[in-house]
Amino acid sequence: MPGLNMAWVVLAVLPGWVLGVALQLQQAALWPMRVYALGLLGAAALGGLALVVGRRGNGWPAIGVGIALCAGALAGGGLTGVRAAHFAAQALPPALEGIDIEVTGRVASLPQRGADGVRFEFALESAARGGQALRLPALLQLGWYSRGAVGAGPVWRAGDRWRLTVRLRRPHGNSNPHGFDRERWLWENGIGATGYVRNGPRDPRPVFLGASGWHPVEAARQAVSERIHQRVDDARSAGVLAALVVGDQSAIDLETNNKVVLWLSL
């Protein structure tokens, strides 16, 4: 049956795709972008050939399945490699690690508050050092630490624009077997660098540039969380409610957080 044979040829692309992605993830180092682009062109050519061959009879559909597997592998590996190479090309240059950089951008996530300060994602608009423009990753993860800070800290709200002086580093994290891999998590979420806002007595103060209107979902989550804390007198109960309603887990301690996760899993 020609229709059934063609269905097998088309479905063969899927396991080939998985195989290509798996092989690319085993690479110790990325190839140049042009190599992955050539792989995508090869996948398109093989895909067309598989369709032509699959329509023939007398054993040709089996050959079409093999060609489709190769096409899927090239497509999966090529697209995965292109994405990885694109992200790596935007990584923080090593020469910019650990130095003061002035950045302008937006708070792009619900700020996570802890005992030592606040952490949030920062969507970059521009960056400079000594008046010279710099190219940095589009998304940063920043912390503002209360230790050593001068005066009261800024009120960080999702969607607000700021001009900050920061110090950055490339994504890094230690991973134990079967444990949380922070570096991979940063990669998966598109965060190209981590760092902190400079807040010493000789550092420039953060400059608030107004609300941007961006990230309305995160801003709404923050507004609901703040309203819960205003209405509920008990801090622990307010933190649990905020975690359950909008996913703001920064207001509850580790023990309570584990209980909430256990309760949700039941």
Side-chain angles (χ1 to χ4, degrees):
M1 299 177 61
L4 183 61
N5 292 334
M6 284 303 300
W8 279 108
V9 171
V10 174
L11 289 175
V13 173
L14 298 178
W17 180 288
V18 174
L19 177 63
V21 172
L23 290 176
Q24 195 283 327
L25 294 177
Q26 302 305 312
Q27 287 186 258
L30 292 173
W31 293 333
M33 180 78 77
R34 61 180 179 274
V35 176
Y36 297 114
L38 289 174
L40 291 176
L41 290 176
L46 288 178
L49 180 61
L51 292 177
V52 172
V53 172
R55 291 191 177 97
R56 300 184 178 183
N58 299 325
W60 284 99
I63 299 177
V65 168
I67 297 175
L69 279 170
C70 295
L74 285 175
L79 285 176
T80 305
V82 165
R83 181 176 181 272
H86 175 72
F87 186 82
Q90 300 180 4
L92 180 72
L96 297 182
E97 288 189 301
I99 63 175
D100 288 352
I101 300 175
E102 183 182 272
V103 298
T104 301
R106 309 179 304 273
V107 178
S109 68
L110 176 68
Q112 299 294 304
R113 307 182 187 281
D116 57 347
V118 182
R119 185 177 60 189
F120 52 88
E121 294 174 12
F122 192 75
L124 187 72
E125 296 176 359
S126 63
R129 175 174 169 82
Q132 182 178 2
L134 300 175
R135 182 181 178 184
L136 298 181
L139 188 62
L140 313 174
Q141 186 185 76
L142 300 177
W144 185 90
Y145 299 105
S146 55
R147 180 180 300 177
V150 178
V155 178
W156 306 102
R157 294 186 180 279
D160 285 355
R161 297 180 66 244
W162 290 86
R163 182 182 301 117
L164 310 171
T165 300
V166 301
R167 285 192 178 180
L168 303 174
R169 64 178 299 188
R170 294 159 69 90
H172 178 72
N174 297 321
S175 175
N176 294 321
H178 310 292
F180 176 67
D181 189 340
R182 182 171 181 267
E183 186 171 346
R184 187 182 69 177
W185 182 88
L186 293 170
W187 175 281
E188 291 174 345
N189 287 272
I191 299 173
T194 63
Y196 62 94
V197 180
R198 298 282 288 168
N199 58 5
R202 298 183 180 180
D203 295 315
R205 297 283 294 171
V207 179
F208 176 63
L209 302 177
S212 68
W214 287 78
H215 316 291
V217 174
E218 299 300 317
R221 291 176 62 206
Q222 185 172 2
V224 172
S225 177
E226 291 176 347
R227 184 64 62 87
I228 290 174
H229 282 83
Q230 292 172 1
R231 295 295 183 88
V232 179
D233 294 332
D234 181 65
R236 172 172 289 189
S237 299
V240 172
L241 286 174
L244 293 173
V245 175
V246 297
D248 183 7
Q249 300 183 21
S250 62
I252 56 179
D253 55 39
L254 180 60
E255 181 181 357
T256 305
N257 184 29
N258 291 337
K259 291 180 180 179
V260 172
V261 172
L262 178 62
W263 181 81
L264 289 175
S265 65
L266 295 177

